[in-house]
Amino acid sequence: MSYTLYGFAMSSCTQRIRSILNYKKIPYTQVSVNFVKKEQLSEEYKKIHPRQIIPALVTPEGHSLIESVAIAEYLEEVHPEKPILPKNKIQRAQVRAIAEYINSSIQPFQHLGIQQYINSHSEKQLEWKDQWTHWNMLGISNLEKSISRTRGRFSVGDQLTLADILIYCQVDSAQTRFGLDFGQYHNIMNIYYNVNNIKEIEQSRGIYQKDFPK
């Protein structure tokens, strides 16, 4: 038996888990939950994820796991081969700090619910989009400064970690969905290109998935 990943091609959080599964060569199948069509609100999916967001990962034993960072930590514990967390405790804390910052301070601005709310208020749309861009890019700028203190080839030293996977997926989503320009963020983009050279992760991009909107 294998894992079942419930998610969508345009979801950066789904991409995180797909990247880890592919990188660690863990067998899984994908079930598309198209959030543009609001398929996550179905009663069937509610049985998988009570809050009806994506992704969700069902284990071979039938347990439903939610929240992408929690899922990532679970996969690292159960499948320690090709580790994505360093053995060194200081570096491990640094990786988790970067992952937490992306997860709590950057990714929420790209959440579909926020985009739909902004688009539904035409009288304030331009003002809110300006604010959205400001706070989104401020988060990116702070991330750039943070990883300048720890990076080698990747964000913490020279080995791929969970932090790099989150950076990669966040940049990919921001460029693909929102057309944001990362040209001035040299630390982030160097990490992005180094991760992009890892075939298993590059092929996990949303644009290569069957359910990516045409």
Side-chain angles (χ1 to χ4, degrees):
M1 296 180 66
S2 65
Y3 291 89
T4 302
L5 175 61
Y6 290 80
F8 185 48
M10 292 177 65
S11 162
S12 63
C13 292
T14 301
Q15 185 181 349
R16 297 171 180 177
I17 304 308
R18 188 166 53 241
S19 297
I20 294 169
L21 289 166
N22 289 341
Y23 179 69
K24 287 178 173 286
K25 300 187 185 301
I26 301 170
Y28 71 102
T29 57
Q30 294 193 81
V31 175
S32 179
V33 182
N34 188 324
F35 57 46
V36 177
K37 297 179 180 179
K38 299 183 178 181
E39 291 177 354
Q40 77 277 15
L41 301 180
S42 70
E43 286 301 314
E44 181 180 359
Y45 185 64
K46 190 175 183 179
K47 297 174 184 176
I48 303 296
H49 195 317
R51 296 202 300 277
Q52 295 177 284
I53 57 178
I54 56 176
L57 185 72
V58 177
T59 71
E61 299 78 22
H63 301 292
S64 181
L65 306 178
I66 60 176
E67 297 297 337
S68 62
V69 173
I71 295 171
E73 295 256 12
Y74 169 86
L75 291 172
E76 176 72 353
E77 291 173 0
V78 176
H79 302 277
E81 62 279 3
K82 299 186 74 174
I84 55 171
L85 287 174
K87 290 183 179 180
N88 180 279
K89 292 181 180 179
I90 296 298
Q91 288 187 324
R92 184 173 287 219
Q94 291 170 335
V95 166
R96 285 178 166 142
I98 294 170
E100 171 62 22
Y101 182 73
I102 295 169
N103 206 42
S104 64
S105 300
I106 299 177
Q107 193 278 332
F109 286 104
Q110 297 183 14
H111 193 278
L112 178 66
I114 291 178
Q115 301 303 311
Q116 290 176 332
Y117 187 80
I118 291 174
N119 291 335
S120 68
H121 291 72
S122 57
E123 73 283 0
K124 295 184 177 181
Q125 193 175 66
L126 291 178
E127 176 190 350
W128 285 357
K129 281 193 173 181
D130 285 343
Q131 293 183 18
W132 175 88
T133 301
H134 167 76
W135 290 109
N136 202 349
M137 299 314 293
L138 179 63
I140 297 295
S141 178
N142 288 335
L143 176 64
E144 172 79 2
K145 296 172 187 175
S146 176
I147 61 178
S148 69
R149 302 168 59 184
T150 58
R151 68 162 290 223
R153 185 164 175 257
F154 293 101
S155 60
V156 179
D158 295 321
Q159 299 298 317
L160 177 81
T161 68
L162 174 62
D164 305 303
I165 292 172
L166 264 64
I167 289 171
Y168 182 81
C169 295
Q170 203 63 44
V171 172
D172 192 43
S173 175
Q175 291 181 330
T176 302
R177 291 177 60 194
F178 305 107
L180 297 182
D181 182 8
F182 285 77
Q184 63 181 306
Y185 303 113
H186 302 296
N187 290 315
I188 290 174
M189 290 312 297
N190 283 337
I191 291 166
Y192 176 86
Y193 291 128
N194 286 336
V195 176
N196 197 60
N197 287 329
I198 301 173
K199 182 179 179 180
E200 296 91 343
I201 297 180
E202 192 271 337
Q203 292 184 344
S204 301
R205 297 177 66 198
I207 60 172
Y208 299 135
Q209 309 310 308
K210 293 179 179 179
D211 58 344
F212 188 80
K214 305 300 183 184

